[in-house]
Amino acid sequence: MAAASFTAAKFLAPAVAARSGSDRAPSFPAVSAIRPLRRTRPAQRLLAVSSDVLAGNKPAPAAAAQPAVTREEALELYEDMVLGRNFEDMCAQMYYRGKMFGFVHLYNGQEAVSTGFIKLLNQPDCIVSTYRDHVHALSKGVPARSVMAELFGKATGCCRGQGGSMHMFSEPHNVLGGFAFIGEGIPVATGAAFAAKYRHEVLKQSSPDGLDVTIAFFGDGTANNGQFFECLNMAQLWKLPIIFVVENNLWAIGMSHLRATSDPEIWKKGPAFGMPGVHVDGMDVLKVREVAKEAIDRARRGEGPTLVEAETYRFRGHSLADPDELRRPDEKSHYAARDPITQLKKYIIEQNLASEAELKNIEKKIDDVVEEAVEFADASPLPPRSQLLENVFSDPKGFGIGPDGKYRCEDPKFTQGTAQV
């Protein structure tokens, strides 16, 4: 689907526009490499997305005479995606070596979505993420060493070691947090978008480019939660500068999206509230970038929100504690063959935007960045115990700090549970 068409087509995506006079449920064309993922009723089905699904199952067109991106843009996209992939692979190694604790959810396979959207944002723009948040933070510019140190629980992490894997936050980069409970970040993102509109219209503090934009990332499982619908309504009612990005990787932990959703086409929930709804191939960074550009431009102009369903796939289990035994081998191999990084690399070389040697230099650079991040995190100190009760109580002389001005947790009796408080 060409991004430029979604404004013109308004609320109907091209693949479904023909349905306007029919009661039949949509059926995407079959993908030869994998059997359809069937729903309970065979008449209604959603198939694994392919690069030709959104074009009506036509053969892929020949390479365009003019590349869709410049050399500089292509290399920026490639470097960011490789950083995300290599960083997550290193996280897996460090987790199994006992350097990280708790649940760690990796982003492998979904890099095209993060890179395609976030690399188009400005510094004042905000993002809100989920528990699968490391790569979103990296794409927004949070240094790899700060993210890795946070994963190690160290004081040099972007949250001083108190956030961990699922709660990345960076005020300087306007990363407003990863959220462990599904859906809870969407109201935060909606509030950030409201603040941007208030600054623009009331305080007259807007930037020359227009409104600051907020992107809310969440998964397919979240799209059945009440907060999602409430925020769609509020965002459209007030024409807030927000993009709701559903990273539909087809599985909510171990629950197939097709088994849990009455209508699996999430993008259609946008038009129900009067906003554009767009479905895009989330395994193709250039297609994601096209759609993202138009959605961001709409928001900056004050034209309101957009709902984007990016159909993608995670290459690992739900978390590093998940043996990943529920998904079919042929399904996993189909998406592995559509690796978004491999596709972009092929495009760059075919379009003569860079040589393979130049791309290998980028990969080597990223390897060094990730190795340095691990060394930095490993050598960093743990947070002091005095940090334990910071930012918990509003009264600085309340429960956390005693009359003498010292933290109560420094009292040995406090940690033993015998202190008088």
Side-chain angles (χ1 to χ4, degrees), residues 3 6 113 116-118 120 215 243 280 287-298 308:
F6 94 69
V113 184
F117 272 94
I118 297 176
L120 289 171
I215 298 181
I243 299 120
V280 68
K287 290 182 180 179
V288 172
R289 192 173 187 273
E290 269 194 291
V291 168
K293 186 176 188 309
E294 182 160 352
I296 291 168
D297 288 347
R298 286 188 71 253
V308 179

Side-chain angles (χ1 to χ4, degrees), residues 78-225:
Y78 187 74
E79 181 171 327
D80 191 62
M81 292 173 72
V82 171
L83 172 61
R85 177 69 60 85
N86 290 11
F87 186 93
E88 296 291 71
D89 285 343
M90 183 60 76
C91 284
Q93 292 185 43
M94 294 300 105
Y95 178 85
Y96 292 126
R97 291 182 189 178
K99 298 291 186 179
M100 299 175 188
F101 305 95
F103 288 101
V104 175
H105 308 81
L106 301 187
Y107 198 74
N108 298 53
Q110 301 182 202
E111 295 89 355
V113 184
S114 178
T115 298
F117 272 94
I118 297 176
K119 300 316 286 185
L120 289 171
L121 296 179
N122 300 329
Q123 189 279 332
D125 297 326
C126 298
I127 66 166
V128 173
S129 186
T130 65
Y131 46 76
R132 206 179 300 279
D133 58 352
H134 316 156
V135 176
H136 292 150
L138 293 171
S139 291
K140 195 60 168 68
V142 182
R145 54 167 33 197
S146 296
V147 179
M148 189 66 76
E150 187 61 36
L151 284 157
F152 276 47
K154 298 299 184 71
T156 54
C158 56
C159 296
R160 301 192 301 161
Q162 289 182 275
S165 173
M166 297 187 279
H167 301 284
M168 296 293 164
F169 176 90
S170 176
E171 181 182 5
H173 300 90
N174 284 308
V175 177
L176 303 187
F179 290 85
F181 288 97
I182 65 169
E184 65 176 341
I186 301 177
V188 174
T190 305
F194 176 83
K197 184 158 187 176
Y198 187 88
R199 289 194 302 270
H200 179 81
E201 295 187 354
V202 179
L203 302 180
K204 309 300 182 185
Q205 296 178 351
S206 60
S207 65
D209 293 338
L211 288 158
D212 294 333
V213 174
T214 299
I215 298 181
F217 292 98
F218 50 96
D220 48 284
T222 299
N224 294 321
N225 279 19

